[in-house]
Amino acid sequence: MPNFYKLQLALKNTSVRIALGLLLLLAVALTTYFSSDVAQDAAPVLRSQNISEITALSTQRDRLDYLLVARPLSDAPRYIFKFKDAPALHVVKVPSTSHLSLEREILLRNAIPYSIAGEAYLASHKALLQEDGENGALAGAGAFAKRHAFDILAVALLLFVLKFGLPGMGAGASVITPDQLKGSMDDLIGMDDIKQEVLHLEDMIRNRALYRSHNIDKPFNVMLTGPAGTGKTKLAGYLAKRLNVPLIQASGSALESGYIGGGSKALNALYRKACARGNCIIFLDEAQTLFMPRGRAEKKWEDDTANTLLGLLDGVKSDQGAGVIWVVASNFDDASSQMDEAMLRRFSVKINFRLPNKAERSELLRTFLARKEDGCVDWNDLDLGQIAEMTANLSPALLETVVERASMISIQDKAIINTELMFRAFERATIGLTDRATTAEKELQRERVALHELGHFFMQIDPYLRQGLSLAEVKEKSHLLKISTESVSKLGALGYVLSSGDDVSLRTLEEMERDVIQLYGGVAAEELFYGARGISVGSQNDIQKATSLLDMMVNRLSMYSRSKLDYSQFRNEAGAEHTLAEVEAKADELYSYTLQAIGDYREVIGALKDTLLERYVLSKDAVFTLLEELHAAGGGLGVAGASGAARLS
């Protein structure tokens, strides 16, 4: 039966090609016919109601071959004339009232010879007397068709293509055969949970009879979700290679061609192409827009593409397309954004990708670096654990970018890749270019930037200091990588604190409050040293981030209320002012604490500021070395804890 449908589809595609060929041949034939018809017509007729053509005969008397007046007593006499030097026959229709004046003032006064057209002439030239009605419209249409034959056929051909598409058209899809697919499942470092899902899917496809006994049948539609750069596209290729079937790849955004119904036509063409190949995988990448809830747009046709995909995914019980597997990738899932329930139900298999953990990042970095030739990497001076820690929350694609950037720096500096060079590569890949010249001559601004960034750092380690931990223990817990007063054009900043990320995604209320306090550390340091009216606009980004966090904590997560509600859904109701007041109150509380806490570090911040201005950059090791020296010298390192004095020790 599948062979029958392949033959049927092939015949259908062949018929489309034949139809297109016939249209083109018809266009050529009609154009040739009309052009030859016009050439052979010795007396083409030019119709008009312009009386000035009759008055102009007084100056063209010598050119005139003959002039006839047809039915002069009717309501609309015709003047029929021909020039000796032109083949065209002119027919001018005039009102009966104008005919008497024309005859007297033009024809008789200028002695222009004319005669009355007899009935025999009119009987043999009926077309000359056609009225503006059905026959006249048909004649006009015929004349228009003759003049625009090629244009009409071109438009007809375009409409045909828009409706049925060209054979093989499919949203810019590319067909990749199994031998062209590179890599294997082993290239997915770690991700054992995801690999198991894929192997289970492969088993379902290979052993359909077994699963059919449990009433699990086609379709095996697969939905891949997760952050960008986690390997969704590669996994689709690996699956096709393992199954030894071709991969038809298209982008979800490429489905929309700019005209109504274009996405539906492209999807249907894509499906026809897949059916013609039998067993294959259709991979739609970046297809998140197709999963948005339908029925919300005012223009109902905007859901046509999603509706068509729903129909194709429905798995109508027929042998056509039985070997086609749909794999659709999206950067979002139903947990992070609202999706159409009907679309989600079409996917029996959902594989959620995640960002790699620290061990997986270390192994990924090792794999990427191992691909380089011997002598490019100093493995004895490379701490992959430290690099994996600083690259928290980076996808495999971004980790590969960091390694590529390390190679570029290595080539430029003629240096071997080690931990320090990888750190520079990470900084370049995530932050961008830094520049000292921008702030070199702006000493007052550099001082403000230094105090601001040190304020961030001290509020980062403040909780550990108040617990009475030693500097060594604080250093171990701190995520600091470096403090810099170099400008960053990418961020529009004159300085920054670079910290490694944290793999923990489920943050608590206490941890989120620490994040807000750390953000407030910069502006609090400015107020501490310059007063409340000395705060600069450099705190804008910090305040925006703090506001977003507080809004989430108060309104969306209801962390400060016994009523666990998402208050953001009531912002247009009476409770809007109340929730805003709560955000303001919590912001005031946390900023007041930050301002008080930063005061305990005023002396040590002032001391570190001078060294930072001199060196421009302080690494984590340099910062804690300076703190140890200040502590040993007794340089004002005391901080007041919540229940008494806690000192750096």
Side-chain angles (χ1 to χ4, degrees):
M1 188 64 74
N3 291 332
F4 168 76
Y5 281 103
K6 289 181 186 177
L7 176 61
Q8 186 183 45
L9 186 61
L11 289 174
K12 185 177 180 181
N13 287 338
T14 303
S15 65
V16 173
R17 293 188 180 94
I18 293 173
L20 289 175
L22 289 176
L23 275 175
L24 291 173
L25 288 174
L26 182 61
V28 174
L30 286 176
T31 304
T32 304
Y33 168 77
F34 285 134
S35 61
S36 62
D37 181 62
V38 171
Q40 293 172 4
D41 189 353
V45 179
L46 301 179
R47 300 177 183 276
S48 172
Q49 296 184 33
N50 188 1
I51 297 177
S52 64
E53 292 187 29
I54 308 302
T55 60
L57 293 177
S58 60
T59 60
Q60 299 174 327
R61 188 172 180 277
D62 295 338
R63 290 181 56 210
L64 192 63
D65 189 5
Y66 62 84
L67 171 62
L68 300 175
V69 179
R71 297 183 179 175
L73 300 179
S74 67
D75 292 336
R78 265 75 161 181
Y79 284 69
I80 304 169
F81 61 91
K82 178 183 177 300
F83 292 116
K84 299 175 182 177
D85 54 358
L89 190 63
H90 297 262
V91 179
V92 180
K93 178 181 176 181
V94 301
S96 58
T97 53
S98 301
H99 164 60
L100 297 176
S101 299
L102 289 172
E103 186 178 34
R104 182 178 63 252
E105 299 296 334
I106 301 299
L107 303 184
L108 296 177
R109 176 172 293 184
N110 293 285
I112 298 175
Y114 72 97
S115 59
I116 304 300
E119 291 301 324
Y121 177 85
L122 296 177
S124 61
H125 295 79
K126 291 182 179 180
L128 299 178
L129 300 180
Q130 287 175 341
E131 296 293 336
D132 295 334
E134 182 180 353
N135 293 334
L138 290 174
F144 179 84
K146 286 185 177 182
R147 293 194 302 272
H148 300 282
F150 186 79
D151 297 336
I152 292 172
L153 265 297
V155 171
L157 181 62
L158 177 61
L159 292 175
F160 180 88
V161 171
L162 293 181
K163 182 170 180 59
F164 298 104
L166 289 172
M169 184 185 74
S174 57
V175 179
I176 308 173
T177 57
D179 59 292
Q180 294 175 316
L181 293 167
K182 298 180 180 179
S184 68
M185 200 75 74
D186 296 334
D187 293 338
L188 282 176
I189 306 300
M191 307 290 183
D192 292 333
D193 47 347
I194 296 172
K195 288 179 183 177
Q196 284 301 119
E197 286 286 332
V198 177
L199 293 175
H200 183 206
L201 172 63
E202 181 186 352
D203 182 68
M204 292 173 66
I205 296 169
R206 292 188 184 277
N207 302 292
R208 291 191 176 186
L210 175 61
Y211 285 89
R212 196 175 289 122
S213 66
H214 287 264
N215 198 31
I216 300 175
D217 198 2
K218 172 78 178 69
F220 293 109
N221 302 323
V222 186
M223 181 179 181
L224 308 179
T225 61
T230 49
K232 298 185 293 294
T233 303
K234 289 182 178 180
L235 186 137
Y238 300 157
L239 180 61
K241 189 173 182 178
R242 289 181 68 89
L243 294 173
N244 196 32
V245 296
L247 180 76
I248 302 178
Q249 182 174 354
S251 171
S253 60
L255 293 175
E256 301 303 332
S257 54
Y259 59 88
I260 296 174
S264 297
K265 298 295 185 298
L267 268 177
N268 282 314
L270 193 67
Y271 184 66
R272 290 195 297 268
K273 176 186 286 189
C275 290
R277 291 183 172 269
N279 294 330
C280 69
I281 291 177
I282 296 178
F283 177 57
L284 286 182
D285 201 4
E286 302 297 339
Q288 44 264 22
T289 55
L290 296 174
F291 290 91
M292 297 298 103
R294 293 166 298 145
R296 296 189 174 187
E298 295 181 0
K299 303 171 183 176
K300 298 304 179 185
W301 61 79
E302 292 184 357
D303 294 331
D304 285 354
T305 305
N307 290 336
T308 300
L309 181 60
L310 277 172
L312 295 175
L313 292 171
D314 198 29
V316 177
K317 300 301 181 182
S318 70
D319 288 329
Q320 183 178 4
V324 176
I325 301 168
W326 289 85
V327 179
V328 179
S330 168
N331 289 340
F332 307 98
D333 56 23
D334 54 334
S336 59
S337 61
Q338 188 175 2
M339 291 187 171
D340 190 90
E341 292 184 6
M343 187 71 78
L344 290 175
R345 284 198 304 270
R346 295 300 195 273
F347 292 89
S348 55
V349 179
K350 298 181 181 68
I351 301 177
N352 298 309
F353 283 68
R354 56 174 174 77
L355 293 172
N357 55 38
K358 181 179 177 180
E360 290 169 341
R361 289 196 302 273
S362 179
E363 189 58 32
L364 280 165
L365 290 166
R366 182 186 302 277
T367 302
F368 295 146
L369 290 167
R371 295 173 184 172
K372 305 183 185 302
E373 295 182 1
D374 293 340
C376 293
V377 180
D378 186 356
W379 295 100
N380 295 324
D381 190 18
L382 188 65
D383 188 345
L384 289 175
Q386 182 180 348
I387 301 169
E389 183 177 351
M390 77 171 68
T391 54
N393 297 320
L394 292 193
S395 67
L398 285 177
L399 290 174
E400 190 169 11
T401 299
V402 171
V403 173
E404 289 176 356
R405 178 62 67 178
S407 291
M408 295 178 189
I409 297 174
S410 172
I411 293 170
Q412 293 170 356
D413 294 356
K414 296 181 175 58
I416 300 177
I417 298 175
N418 57 13
T419 303
E420 190 274 333
L421 195 142
M422 284 293 294
F423 176 85
R424 291 169 56 195
F426 165 72
E427 183 179 24
R428 184 71 62 86
T430 53
I431 292 181
L433 290 171
T434 59
D435 174 38
R436 295 187 179 184
T438 302
T439 57
E441 298 180 358
K442 301 176 181 178
E443 290 300 326
L444 292 179
Q445 290 193 24
R446 284 191 63 224
E447 180 182 85
R448 180 183 294 276
V449 169
L451 293 171
H452 184 102
E453 303 306 335
L454 286 169
H456 284 310
F457 164 67
F458 274 96
M459 294 318 298
Q460 179 191 101
I461 64 173
D462 175 72
Y464 310 128
L465 293 174
R466 295 190 185 279
Q467 293 173 20
L469 300 182
S470 66
L471 279 175
E473 292 172 321
V474 172
K475 181 180 179 181
E476 183 69 24
K477 289 181 173 293
S478 174
H479 291 293
L480 177 71
L481 295 175
K482 67 186 295 187
I483 304 174
S484 173
T485 58
E486 297 174 322
S487 67
V488 184
S489 57
K490 178 181 177 180
L491 303 177
L494 298 177
Y496 59 95
V497 172
L498 184 63
S499 301
S500 60
D502 194 338
D503 285 325
V504 177
S505 57
L506 295 175
R507 304 190 68 76
T508 65
L509 171 61
E510 182 180 2
E511 289 169 336
M512 294 182 75
E513 284 187 342
R514 287 180 182 178
D515 291 339
V516 174
I517 289 170
Q518 183 180 336
L519 287 167
Y520 281 156
V523 63
E526 290 190 43
E527 181 172 347
L528 176 66
F529 283 88
Y530 300 110
R533 297 181 63 84
I535 299 173
S536 70
V537 297
S539 304
Q540 177 184 358
N541 189 45
D542 298 329
I543 293 174
Q544 287 177 344
K545 291 179 180 178
T547 303
S548 179
L549 276 172
L550 287 166
D551 176 60
M552 178 183 294
M553 294 157 64
V554 173
N555 291 325
R556 297 183 62 186
L557 300 179
S558 189
M559 285 183 163
Y560 299 101
S561 172
R562 296 297 299 172
S563 301
K564 299 306 178 185
L565 297 172
D566 182 0
Y567 288 100
S568 64
Q569 298 186 26
F570 308 115
R571 286 189 172 179
N572 294 327
E573 306 295 333
E577 293 183 4
H578 173 69
T579 55
L580 176 59
E582 278 199 50
V583 173
E584 290 178 338
K586 183 52 62 175
D588 181 67
E589 176 188 334
L590 293 177
Y591 182 71
S592 297
Y593 170 82
T594 306
L595 188 60
Q596 181 180 0
I598 203 75
D600 293 332
Y601 307 111
R602 179 179 186 125
E603 190 175 339
V604 67
I605 288 176
L608 288 179
K609 178 248 314 178
D610 295 334
T611 306
L612 180 57
L613 288 175
E614 179 184 350
R615 301 184 187 178
Y616 279 89
V617 174
L618 290 176
S619 67
K620 181 177 183 178
D621 289 339
V623 169
F624 280 93
T625 298
L626 289 170
L627 289 177
E628 290 282 4
E629 293 175 355
L630 288 171
H631 168 62
L637 295 174
V639 295
S643 58
R647 301 186 60 85
L648 292 168
S649 59

